[in-house]
Amino acid sequence: MNFTYFNLHPSILEGIESMGYEKPTPIQEKAIPIILKGDDLLACAQTGTGKTAAFMLPLLSKLAAEEHDPMFVNTLVIVPTRELAIQIDQQVEGFAYYSPVSSIAVYGGNDGSNWDRQRQALERGAEIIIATPGRLLQHIQMGYVKLERIQHLVLDEADRMLDMGFYEDIMTIISYLPEIRQTLMFSATMPQNIRKLAKTILKNPFEINLAVSKPAENILQAVYHVSSTDKLNLLASLLSKKDLVQSAIVFASTKSEVKDIERKLRGMDVSVMAMYSDLEQKQREEVMRSFRNRKFQVLVATDIVARGIDIEDIDLIVNYDVPADPEDYVHRIGRTARAQSDGVAITFVSPEQKRRLATIEKFLGSKIFVVIR
Ligand code: AMP
């Protein structure tokens, strides 16, 4: 199957072509016809499956085909993190390159000028808003966001948003929206609270389940049993093979550990930057941009970058510690082997972390290959 099958607007097909997509992914095959028809959708799918295009392409196609007033918001996408908001906004720019659609990413934690820029854009009118809940609500409560003609609402990474405590904000935002609208909900997992939220806000939804909360098969996963004190040297030796490892992410659970690893690697002459929640928004964007552009070899990060962030061609993921939640493990290692390429994910397991490894293996339904015991 190719994208012409769906009857998308020609300008969007051109956008898809310029993005270099040849074939729809499974979630796109299933979701695009449902969304084009106007039905509500509850989809269980992880990042890396192509879910952004799965909802954005049909919504953009409708926007391009249907008459509407560009001064009013037509589509609202609510996401858990600013990184994801920016990333979706960038994809929209690509898909909509040949159609005159205005979109804006709205997220918190910036300086005043960013607030003003968002405010001005919202006052001028944007057809698509991609927003984190808290900041969007602040703008809405100032009274200038034109929500009364919204036709489409998307909740992306809904499980993550509930984990982050956004339930109330989401429900308040929805209380400002027209009752008659199309609502799409994407979630990597389907726990009870997600089902309940879906029942409250979706009408007769179609369900798509690509749930496999399992890593992609083209990721080579391996375990090193290593004491905490030997981890750093082991890491340095893995990273020293620069021809094999041009781009790597090292995950650690705490900010202090991330900073510590960054400092020590730098001391060993590794080109490295760190990413954690204390950084200013500007700094975070700068780090991500430099990493994308291969300005440095190693990104050390907490789980904030594990979800939703889309960087291609990462050769190696190292879990410096074993994440407590198997879902976090899947998200961390999913940063490699994006789309069609292969990747390697190595987990350092110190003796006191063996239990966590066992939990992850149970979740995966298979043992991870052990390189060093
Ligand atoms: P997502 O799950 O939306 O985070 O997308 C994961 C990655 O797959 C992104 O880099 C997309 O640009 C890419 N992608 C999405 N759909 C396709 C497609 N049909 N063909 C090739 N790459 C795609």
Side-chain angles (χ1 to χ4, degrees):
M1 188 196 279
N2 64 34
F3 281 101
T4 51
Y5 168 87
F6 298 119
N7 239 340
L8 292 162
H9 191 271
S11 64
I12 303 302
L13 278 176
E14 268 188 275
I16 295 172
E17 199 178 315
S18 68
M19 298 280 281
Y21 297 180
E22 286 167 8
K23 265 175 49 155
T25 65
I27 180 92
Q28 290 160 7
E29 261 182 42
K30 291 205 165 85
I32 291 175
I34 295 172
I35 299 172
L36 281 175
K37 230 174 95 222
D39 287 311
D40 281 7
L41 174 66
L42 175 60
C44 194
Q46 296 169 261
T47 44
T49 53
K51 69 181 167 61
T52 311
F55 62 80
M56 234 37 263
L57 294 174
L59 294 181
L60 285 167
S61 179
K62 281 170 182 248
L63 253 178
E66 290 164 10
E67 271 213 15
H68 61 272
D69 184 342
M71 288 298 290
F72 287 82
V73 185
N74 173 282
T75 295
L76 172 62
V77 183
I78 309 182
V79 300
T81 62
R82 48 191 109 170
E83 282 79 14
L84 191 56
I86 294 168
Q87 186 184 305
I88 294 177
D89 190 41
Q90 285 167 346
Q91 285 204 39
V92 168
E93 272 181 33
F95 297 142
Y97 190 76
Y98 300 98
S99 62
V101 172
S102 59
S103 70
I104 174 174
V106 171
Y107 46 85
N110 331 102
D111 49 28
S113 68
N114 229 331
W115 167 273
D116 290 341
R117 193 182 51 76
Q118 292 175 2
R119 178 190 174 130
Q120 280 162 13
L122 291 169
E123 280 175 336
R124 265 201 313 275
E127 290 155 290
I128 301 178
I129 296 180
I130 304 134
T132 54
R135 174 53 70 96
L136 176 64
L137 201 52
Q138 288 175 312
H139 282 293
I140 289 177
Q141 284 163 347
M142 304 288 285
Y144 44 74
V145 191
K146 302 176 195 72
L147 298 171
E148 57 270 34
R149 295 203 197 159
I150 284 208
Q151 296 188 354
H152 315 282
L153 167 69
V154 182
L155 299 188
D156 195 12
E157 301 204 352
D159 51 350
R160 183 71 164 168
M161 291 203 278
L162 295 195
D163 286 351
M164 290 167 80
F166 284 139
Y167 179 82
E168 293 296 331
D169 283 356
I170 291 171
M171 294 313 287
T172 311
I173 292 169
I174 289 178
S175 72
Y176 287 91
L177 307 184
E179 284 263 338
I180 298 185
R181 56 163 200 267
Q182 181 180 31
T183 308
L184 315 172
M185 205 166 126
F186 289 78
S187 187
T189 57
M190 278 296 149
Q192 208 46 42
N193 59 354
I194 289 290
R195 294 232 158 249
K196 227 172 110 199
L197 176 66
K199 256 211 166 110
T200 324
I201 64 170
L202 300 174
K203 295 201 179 93
N204 275 331
F206 273 82
E207 285 198 31
I208 299 178
N209 200 338
L210 294 175
V212 283
S213 225
K214 301 268 156 81
E217 282 176 6
N218 50 343
I219 304 175
L220 176 67
Q221 300 173 62
V223 159
Y224 283 65
H225 287 285
V226 54
S227 71
S228 301
T229 45
D230 289 340
K231 284 185 177 180
L232 195 71
N233 283 331
L234 176 58
L235 178 62
S237 92
L238 288 170
L239 296 173
S240 66
K241 300 176 181 54
K242 290 214 176 66
D243 44 338
L244 289 178
V245 183
Q246 285 162 17
S247 210
I249 304 182
V250 177
F251 282 112
S253 296
T254 63
K255 277 181 272 194
S256 59
E257 201 170 24
V258 163
K259 289 185 210 173
D260 194 43
I261 297 168
E262 183 203 22
R263 193 171 43 79
K264 287 179 175 152
L265 284 179
R266 185 160 293 145
M268 295 166 134
D269 255 359
V270 177
S271 87
V272 58
M273 298 279 278
M275 175 86 161
Y276 43 89
S277 53
D278 286 357
L279 293 184
E280 294 282 323
Q281 175 59 16
K282 268 223 171 77
Q283 294 172 298
R284 286 204 210 180
E285 285 171 27
E286 183 52 38
V287 172
M288 294 313 288
R289 193 166 36 244
S290 307
F291 190 50
R292 266 199 193 94
N293 295 335
R294 300 273 175 115
K295 295 265 168 60
F296 59 93
Q297 184 198 11
V298 183
L299 177 70
V300 190
T302 54
D303 286 292
I304 54 164
V305 289
R307 291 192 191 226
I309 291 304
D310 181 23
I311 298 177
E312 292 187 1
D313 300 329
I314 292 167
D315 311 303
L316 175 68
I317 301 288
V318 175
N319 291 314
Y320 199 80
D321 54 23
V322 186
D325 181 350
E327 293 275 348
D328 280 336
Y329 174 81
V330 173
H331 278 285
R332 285 180 178 192
I333 73 167
R335 297 314 94 202
T336 185
R338 312 287 286 164
Q340 262 85 40
S341 62
D342 294 330
V344 178
I346 292 175
T347 302
F348 291 176
V349 185
S350 49
E352 69 280 7
Q353 293 181 323
K354 283 189 178 162
R355 275 245 239 348
R356 289 186 176 184
L357 177 66
T359 311
I360 290 171
E361 288 181 328
K362 198 165 155 217
F363 179 82
L364 299 175
S366 61
K367 294 267 178 210
I368 303 172
F369 178 72
V370 177
V371 181
I372 300 180
R373 191 171 289 282

